[in-house]
Amino acid sequence: MAIDARPDEPVGPAQPTAPAPAAEAESAAALGEVTLSGAALGVGPRAAAVTVGRSPLRRTVGMIGQYAVLVALAVVVLAPIALVLIQALSSPIRYIAAGLPLHPVGIDWKDRTWWSGGAASVILRSLVILVALVWLQLRVAGGRIWELSRFRERPVLALAVAAGWVAVVLTTNPIFAALADGSSNAPALVLVAVLVVGATQLIGFQAGARSWWAALILAALAGVGLVAVVVICFGAAVWTDAWTRADLGPAMVQSLILTILITAAQLVTATLAAYAFTFLRFPLKGLLFAFFLGTLLLPLEVTLLANEYTVRQLGWTDTYQGLVAPFAASAFGTFLVRQGFRGVPPEIRDAAQLDGYGHLSFLWRFAIPLTRPVIASFTVIAALAAWNQYLWPRAIIDQASHETAQIRLRTLVSTEVAQSNQAIAAALIVAVPVVLLLIAFQRQIIRGLTAGAVKG
Amino acid sequence: MASVTFENVSKRFDDVVAVDDLDLAIADGELMVLLGPSGCGKTTALRMIAGLEAATSGKILIGDQVVNHVDPARRDVSMVFQSYALYPHMTVQRNIESPLLIRRYPVDGPDRPVRKLSKAERNERVAEAARVLDLEPLLQRKPAALSGGQRQRVALARAFVGRPKAFLMDEPLSNLDAKLRAQTRVELVDLHRRIETTVVYVTHDQVEAMTMATRIAIMSNGRLQQLGTPRDVYDTPANLFVAQFIGTPAMNCLPGTFTSVGGAAGIEVEGGRFPVPSKLQARLEEGRPVTVGARPEHLRVAEAPSGTAVELQVRAAEWLGHECLVFGSVGGEPVVVRLIGRVGVEPGGSLPLAVAPDDVHLFDPDSGRRLD
Amino acid sequence: MIAAWWHRRYSTRETLLALLFLAPSIAVFVAFFYRPFLNLVYWGTFESRRRGAFFESVGLRQYREQLTSDDFRQGLWHSIQFVLYTVPTGLVLGILLAVAAHRRLKGIKIFQAIFASTIASSVAVASVVFFFFLNPTVGIFRVDWLNNPDMAMFAVALSGIWRHLGLSFIIVLAGLQSVPDEVLEAATLDGYGPVRRLLRITLPLISPVLLFLLVVLVIFGFQAFAEIEILTGGGPAASTETLVFKIFRLNTPDSIGIGAVYSVGLFLVTLVVTGLQFAILERRVHYGD
């Protein structure tokens, strides 16, 4: 009985695998957890389920095809930001005249050294590089992120960070001057910087890497990445120009204060309400729950006019209380934290009761610590939303001096063409805190977002 | 129906060797049980037959055809997954019919090309499977509305309907409660007898292996430890691992030395002396260290002091009605004895034990290999 | 009597504590959600004359007039247009990204991070980015869509689609990860190829997630405001004025009654649309055990 074994019937070019569901139980309140780079977006231990049935050649072709698709999609997703970034670096007049919009003709470079720009700026810069290096080494070394004890375990990582920092400062210094002068040394200096910085990082990578190839490639990427970031972020003139011209300082501070206030308020109100719904018995619980639920149907867009009227009547325009009050409570947050609280085993409540803990101390000593991941998720999401707010600040902020960063961006868009690149730069600057939040807390953000969508 | 063969098959996941140079020939029509603790490679081996994992090296044959690069759907095997893997959004009927919709089958005979089944043929096969597995009243239900045992039968029906060359089963009974498990064991053996198809069955439960298998392949750490019938692995375990894996309670193993001083040859242990199977006596030299094993059920209370092999220091006795398990130690090593009926022993007392020479197993202390 | 019933079921102390814990949230919700809404409903019955100096109660007539007016219908249509542009595309792209990134390849985590990254963009940032992306004079893509009445909404929608790619990706990916391995392996053994597996097994099994995403995207779509304000300012020729945009602009003493009517209208529309989605699609959604 001869079964046709030739794969002459293509079952499809790209062979997707079926990785195991993401399973990372972190706490008693483990919701459906999805994580990004920090700990594998659900990539499980089982190998590709389908590619195995084909000859090695087809498998390689299939794999290349999959990478091609991924790269294409990544390009689509990143294209707007990438292209706009290039646009931001050059003054528009220059490249319009040159007729080549994609070519960063004549980037305005700042003639500076690492140490110029004021103490605060220098410290901030150094700190950023340090944190980036620490993050990089920890990520490559594997394990949980922000586990600083790894530096004690493997001193060579600390050496890589220190050496890397020194290398970055020393090798990029001459680059700034060279670029500002337009000297032809610049590319060579950049290359030297990339190699040196890459080498320092290799010290750390090779300790734990599985193969020399992987360590080398990673070191090369690290070198290129670090130098590129330093040169573009600290060397291009457009960032400080945009910052000063748009007066982003006060606006960013406004946004920051607002974010902190709103997040804190929501944390408190949502946690208390969630506690009541989970651990306390009282009449009309169902009705009150529906009451909370109902607010999801009344977004600010619907109640805007009346809320604005109220706030104006109270004289709360341009004030923090006016900006925070409508957002001091959150139904979404209450539900999220409630989910977390429901994961606390009832036996713990009973044991605490027997030990004589009242509700407030139970809340503080047990409920909150046991649901830290969920609360962390909610905090990050609330902060994200608060930072990104547009409609309400737009409605009740009348004075430019009180504008938040997001609102400030709007005024920048209507500037003259000659400064359009500064508007873009300002937008990118405003986006940076959120990007940092995303990198640092991806797991928490994803967990919070998917809690409602996917069953844990 | 076909045989399944592993020729020097290895499977590596990055640094971990899951299957290490496996050489195994599964005969056409037999029920081969791959037995071993978690992580021993048995499930990986099973998945390699199905094509869900690719062998890193070696050849896998179904019948006499090398299938390493053949699509899973074209290997003409079917699999019952540990979690049953029923399609939750389809009815039982559609679940059972599923393998017949896309795959091609040699319906017209062994010499004609394979083709897809017509609707009539599909319905007929589904009806047959439903009848054999008693699923007729459940055909329009969805898996969520079925009990564990019913879901398992649907998984079996789905595997059955394609009349595959080999059935692959991955711990199919582990999600059932004890009573249902025992019942289903019997049904599966019966089913195998009726359909006479090769079955490769993975489990960690040695009771399932002993009661169901034509032959058992015991694996540990990716390596095949022993291949044999249930009787073989029970009577003549090839190494210490097999000896202690098969049988509940596990075989008692103690360190000892061979000696023929003082007339009768035996294994000197701290606390007594075990007899030695006659054919081995000539092969061992004086003073050779061995590990001696004796199953709890082969140890008896010595009738006469002269017949005593070892003295058991009793720690506890569990009377289970039909038998009595006595826990104690011989020279510091824990020993369990299984005795029929009720035995009067006191914790702290001692019990003289005897064992027949042929029920004594000897193993090399370093390699664990059986000595014979 | 009642006291006995009460004391049997509830502890007064606990109830008071609950009240204390719930009070801040309730206060905010009443003050900034429910009362304003009721106010709006009431205001909708008032027409104003002479620069808001004089309000005349006209009852439901204003509702009837305004909700059927051309201006409202236009605003509604533009909102619907925005939703139609952004939601199906967003859903499909989200599925595409998630399916592409749900596999075991070296470096897949990097791609997953890239696909999810747009979640970091706020409305303002995304709008600014696209404003210059699509700018006829200084843009990389020198197209004049934002000034073209026929293309303006499309251009605005582009920024909306891009902004929500990250969220869609994350949610669909979470759904994909909840599909058990073994079910897909069983499908492989049954001869289902990758496309069939996706369409017949995976998508049906994640349909609750997809419905959730659909509802969320539609709600976001009807709330479109900032992107309009920044990218087109409602133009050209009012071709991008969505409902929320119109409401924002109706916030003058003269027209606050009309604004209130529009607000209530927005509420009703969102309610009806969400309800329809659940009613129609719920049946086709498969909820597992």
Side-chain angles (χ1 to χ4, degrees):
Chain A
M1 174 159 50
I3 298 284
D4 193 336
R6 279 174 291 109
D8 59 351
E9 221 189 326
V11 203
Q15 307 285 343
T17 69
E24 212 186 281
E26 249 184 56
S27 76
L31 302 171
E33 235 205 282
V34 173
T35 60
L36 268 183
S37 335
L41 223 158
V43 180
R46 291 228 178 123
V50 183
T51 54
V52 299
R54 338 203 90 221
S55 73
L57 177 64
R58 286 199 78 154
R59 224 187 304 168
T60 320
V61 169
M63 205 166 66
I64 293 180
Q66 290 177 73
Y67 274 115
V69 169
L70 284 170
V71 168
L73 288 173
V75 165
V76 167
V77 171
L78 290 179
I81 288 283
L83 293 175
V84 146
L85 174 65
I86 295 176
Q87 219 180 313
L89 294 172
S90 330
S91 164
I93 300 291
R94 289 213 227 173
Y95 69 68
I96 291 174
L100 299 165
L102 281 186
H103 180 79
V105 175
I107 299 180
D108 288 320
W109 300 100
K110 280 204 295 217
D111 189 4
R112 51 114 48 98
T113 66
W114 186 261
W115 313 107
S116 52
S121 191
V122 173
I123 293 177
L124 185 66
R125 229 174 289 147
S126 311
L127 219 60
V128 166
I129 296 293
L130 204 62
V131 169
L133 286 171
V134 166
W135 181 85
L136 188 62
Q137 289 295 337
L138 283 179
R139 278 280 277 122
V140 172
R144 294 174 69 93
I145 201 165
W146 304 129
E147 213 178 80
L148 294 177
S149 58
R150 291 205 135 236
F151 285 112
R152 236 176 301 136
E153 290 167 26
R154 283 209 224 154
V156 71
L157 294 181
L159 178 64
V161 169
W165 189 86
V166 170
V168 165
V169 173
L170 287 180
T171 54
T172 55
N173 241 342
I175 298 182
F176 295 134
L179 285 172
D181 294 335
S183 98
S184 52
N185 282 337
L189 287 171
V190 171
L191 188 61
V192 167
V194 170
L195 288 174
V196 171
V197 173
T200 62
Q201 296 311 294
L202 186 62
I203 302 173
F205 293 165
Q206 57 80 28
R210 248 189 293 257
S211 70
W212 265 100
W213 272 116
L216 272 173
I217 293 178
L218 278 172
L221 286 175
V224 169
L226 281 166
V227 171
V229 163
V230 169
V231 167
I232 291 180
C233 292
F234 304 146
V238 70
W239 309 109
T240 35
D241 288 347
W243 182 277
T244 32
R245 189 190 149 83
D247 199 18
L248 281 183
M252 298 281 272
V253 168
Q254 268 291 81
S255 287
L256 183 66
I257 296 178
L258 205 55
T259 302
I260 294 176
L261 288 176
I262 291 182
T263 308
Q266 286 190 353
L267 254 181
V268 170
T269 58
T271 308
L272 288 177
Y275 186 88
F277 278 121
T278 318
F279 296 112
L280 298 176
R281 293 182 62 202
F282 53 93
L284 301 176
K285 197 190 265 201
L287 190 68
L288 282 168
F289 197 73
F291 181 80
F292 272 62
L293 208 61
T295 63
L296 295 176
L297 286 172
L298 294 174
L300 190 69
E301 285 79 6
V302 167
T303 56
L304 178 69
L305 296 186
N307 277 330
E308 196 181 328
Y309 178 79
T310 311
V311 164
R312 284 189 191 275
Q313 290 293 93
L314 289 169
W316 281 3
T317 54
D318 293 306
T319 64
Y320 287 122
Q321 57 267 34
L323 285 167
V324 172
F327 300 101
S330 161
F332 169 72
T334 308
F335 297 148
L336 200 59
V337 178
R338 176 173 169 265
Q339 284 262 73
F341 281 164
R342 288 176 76 184
V344 174
E347 299 90 58
I348 298 203
R349 248 171 55 200
D350 298 336
Q353 209 171 6
L354 282 173
D355 286 345
Y357 286 100
H359 281 294
L360 273 174
S361 48
F362 179 73
L363 170 66
W364 184 247
R365 288 175 205 269
F366 293 90
I368 292 180
L370 284 175
T371 54
R372 244 207 303 258
V374 174
I375 294 187
S377 293
F378 171 55
T379 310
V380 176
I381 293 184
L384 236 161
W387 180 272
N388 285 347
Q389 264 188 17
Y390 188 87
L391 182 59
W392 184 242
R394 174 81 179 85
I396 70 163
I397 292 181
D398 297 326
Q399 300 173 32
S401 55
H402 287 88
E403 279 181 351
T404 65
Q406 309 287 337
I407 310 297
R408 184 63 58 86
L409 291 181
R410 185 187 82 98
T411 45
L412 292 178
V413 156
S414 39
T415 52
E416 324 98 65
V417 161
Q419 259 72 41
S420 61
N421 64 324
Q422 290 179 357
I424 303 172
L428 293 175
I429 293 176
V430 170
V432 161
V434 178
V435 171
L436 292 178
L437 259 186
L438 180 64
I439 294 177
F441 297 109
Q442 353 157 262
R443 203 182 312 168
Q444 283 77 2
I445 294 178
I446 295 167
R447 186 214 328 253
L449 289 176
T450 58
V454 183
K455 280 196 300 197
Chain B
M1 281 212 311
S3 61
V4 177
T5 318
F6 287 85
E7 270 182 28
N8 299 111
V9 173
S10 292
K11 174 66 184 174
R12 192 185 248 104
F13 290 107
D14 288 332
D15 294 330
V16 179
V17 179
V19 175
D20 194 356
D21 202 27
L22 179 66
D23 244 328
L24 180 63
I26 302 171
D28 187 358
E30 77 171 327
L31 198 159
M32 167 70 73
V33 172
L34 302 181
L35 175 70
S38 331
C40 70
K42 56 193 194 295
T43 304
T44 311
L46 190 77
R47 287 163 60 83
M48 283 198 278
I49 305 176
L52 297 172
E53 305 280 1
T56 317
S57 62
K59 288 199 276 195
I60 301 175
L61 296 96
I62 297 181
D64 43 18
Q65 186 205 8
V66 176
V67 295
N68 285 49
H69 298 303
V70 176
D71 261 349
R74 286 161 176 262
R75 298 188 184 197
D76 207 8
V77 297
S78 62
M79 185 148 165
V80 177
F81 292 87
Q82 186 170 2
S83 67
Y84 313 138
L86 301 181
Y87 303 123
H89 58 301
M90 297 186 191
T91 58
V92 165
Q93 169 149 27
R94 276 283 270 131
N95 263 282
I96 300 176
E97 196 186 9
S98 171
L100 304 174
L101 290 171
I102 304 171
R103 279 168 60 169
R104 292 161 184 245
Y105 294 92
V107 215
D108 298 323
D111 300 320
R112 309 289 291 286
V114 289
R115 64 168 174 84
K116 287 196 182 174
L117 298 175
S118 72
K119 185 144 179 61
E121 286 166 327
R122 291 203 305 267
N123 288 342
E124 185 199 317
R125 287 214 189 177
V126 170
E128 179 194 7
R131 203 178 45 242
V132 167
L133 284 152
D134 211 6
L135 292 167
E136 276 150 329
L138 304 171
L139 283 175
Q140 294 314 313
R141 291 214 207 156
K142 295 227 176 117
L146 301 176
S147 72
Q150 290 167 334
R151 287 186 208 172
Q152 203 232 25
R153 295 213 300 275
V154 176
L156 282 170
R158 184 173 68 179
F160 175 86
V161 84
R163 296 183 195 159
K165 285 181 178 162
F167 283 96
L168 310 175
M169 301 198 183
D170 188 1
E171 313 219 31
L173 303 184
S174 61
N175 290 342
L176 302 175
D177 64 70
K179 181 160 160 243
L180 204 50
R181 206 180 301 168
Q183 202 177 317
T184 316
R185 235 168 47 210
V186 174
E187 286 172 5
L188 279 179
V189 174
D190 197 43
L191 192 64
H192 173 243
R193 195 178 42 80
R194 276 189 288 159
I195 59 178
E196 293 175 334
T197 310
T198 316
V199 173
V200 185
Y201 186 107
V202 161
T203 182
H204 62 274
D205 183 334
Q206 47 121 8
V207 172
E208 279 170 36
M210 296 290 282
T211 55
M212 300 173 72
T214 316
R215 283 192 301 167
I216 306 179
I218 303 180
M219 295 177 68
S220 166
N221 288 335
R223 310 209 104 243
L224 179 64
Q225 303 294 318
Q226 182 172 2
L227 174 65
T229 63
R231 161 141 284 180
D232 290 339
V233 301
Y234 181 85
D235 284 342
T236 40
N239 58 33
L240 262 178
F241 175 81
V242 175
Q244 291 179 311
F245 196 83
I246 301 283
T248 315
M251 180 189 288
N252 300 298
C253 293
L254 298 88
T257 336
F258 176 77
T259 174
S260 49
V261 167
I267 307 295
E268 195 78 30
V269 300
E270 207 182 309
R273 180 192 272 231
F274 278 93
V276 178
S278 31
K279 57 182 163 67
L280 278 178
Q281 288 180 16
R283 312 258 286 282
L284 299 167
E285 68 263 16
E286 177 68 31
R288 191 207 202 284
V290 294
T291 305
V292 57
R295 293 198 184 274
E297 51 268 26
H298 293 154
L299 293 167
R300 320 178 304 272
V301 179
E303 280 121 37
S306 57
T308 305
V310 292
E311 196 83 17
L312 176 74
Q313 304 303 318
V314 178
R315 220 181 67 226
E318 285 178 358
W319 180 62
L320 299 162
H322 56 278
E323 68 185 15
C324 189
L325 290 178
V326 182
F327 296 85
S329 55
V330 170
E333 297 291 324
V335 166
V336 184
V337 185
R338 187 196 246 155
L339 303 169
I340 306 292
R342 203 197 276 256
V343 179
V345 286
E346 289 296 317
S350 74
L351 198 62
L353 298 175
V355 61
D358 285 330
D359 286 335
V360 171
H361 305 260
L362 297 181
F363 302 95
D364 178 71
D366 302 311
S367 67
R369 278 261 176 81
R370 177 188 193 74
L371 297 174
D372 50 12
Chain C
M1 269 286 290
I2 299 182
W5 168 86
W6 170 274
H7 283 294
R8 231 195 346 260
R9 300 190 67 179
Y10 303 111
S11 134
T12 312
R13 199 174 147 271
E14 223 173 89
T15 310
L16 284 178
L17 191 65
L19 200 62
L20 182 68
F21 280 8
L22 292 173
S25 301
I26 296 180
V28 169
F29 291 154
V30 166
F32 294 101
F33 289 77
Y34 288 108
R35 195 182 83 110
F37 182 66
L38 293 174
N39 276 346
L40 280 176
V41 174
Y42 183 57
W43 290 355
T45 61
F46 285 81
E47 230 172 47
S48 73
R49 302 272 167 82
R50 267 190 260 130
R51 298 186 147 269
F54 171 53
F55 280 90
E56 183 193 333
S57 170
V58 292
L60 292 176
R61 172 163 73 83
Q62 180 154 248
Y63 274 96
R64 228 176 328 138
E65 268 176 16
Q66 294 305 326
L67 288 180
T68 51
S69 71
D70 281 339
D71 190 47
F72 181 80
R73 293 227 285 252
Q74 195 197 47
L76 180 61
W77 166 237
H78 290 143
S79 289
I80 292 179
Q81 228 183 342
F82 187 80
V83 168
L84 286 177
Y85 277 138
T86 58
V87 176
T89 333
L91 210 55
V92 167
L93 282 178
I95 294 176
L96 187 62
L97 289 174
V99 166
H102 180 61
R103 58 196 61 210
R104 189 181 190 235
L105 286 176
K106 277 199 97 102
I108 195 72
K109 295 184 226 162
I110 300 178
F111 285 104
Q112 288 171 346
I114 292 177
F115 291 169
S117 63
T118 68
I119 209 165
S121 60
S122 67
V123 197
V125 166
S127 304
V128 170
V129 164
F130 270 80
F131 183 82
F132 292 106
F133 193 51
L134 300 171
N135 193 293
T137 330
V138 299
I140 301 273
F141 283 122
R142 305 231 193 115
V143 287
D144 207 14
W145 289 347
L146 289 172
N147 291 320
N148 181 343
D150 298 319
M151 292 301 289
M153 196 41 129
F154 175 70
V156 172
L158 271 182
S159 96
I161 296 172
W162 182 81
R163 189 160 63 90
H164 288 131
L165 279 180
L167 179 70
S168 307
F169 167 71
I170 289 176
I171 290 184
V172 177
L173 189 67
L176 289 182
Q177 291 169 329
S178 69
V179 176
D181 264 359
E182 293 196 335
V183 172
L184 290 172
E185 287 174 351
T188 308
L189 278 176
D190 284 348
Y192 285 74
V195 175
R196 260 210 182 95
R197 276 203 305 269
L198 175 67
L199 294 176
R200 301 279 181 85
I201 313 281
T202 310
L203 287 185
L205 286 183
I206 63 169
S207 46
V209 168
L210 294 180
L211 178 63
F212 173 82
L213 184 61
L214 178 69
V215 170
V216 163
L217 287 179
V218 166
I219 292 179
F220 283 164
F222 274 106
Q223 292 171 352
F225 167 74
E227 44 268 274
I228 315 287
E229 212 201 16
I230 294 180
L231 284 170
T232 59
S239 62
T240 58
E241 288 192 356
T242 57
L243 270 185
V244 181
F245 188 84
K246 288 193 191 282
I247 291 173
F248 193 81
R249 278 232 310 234
L250 286 169
N251 192 6
T252 66
D254 255 354
S255 56
I256 196 140
I258 306 177
V261 169
Y262 278 33
S263 301
V264 176
L266 174 65
F267 168 74
L268 289 173
V269 166
T270 325
L271 193 66
V272 165
V273 169
T274 310
L276 275 178
Q277 280 175 290
F278 272 110
I280 297 178
L281 297 174
E282 254 273 332
R283 276 178 295 120
R284 306 196 58 193
V285 163
H286 159 84
Y287 291 102
D289 20 47

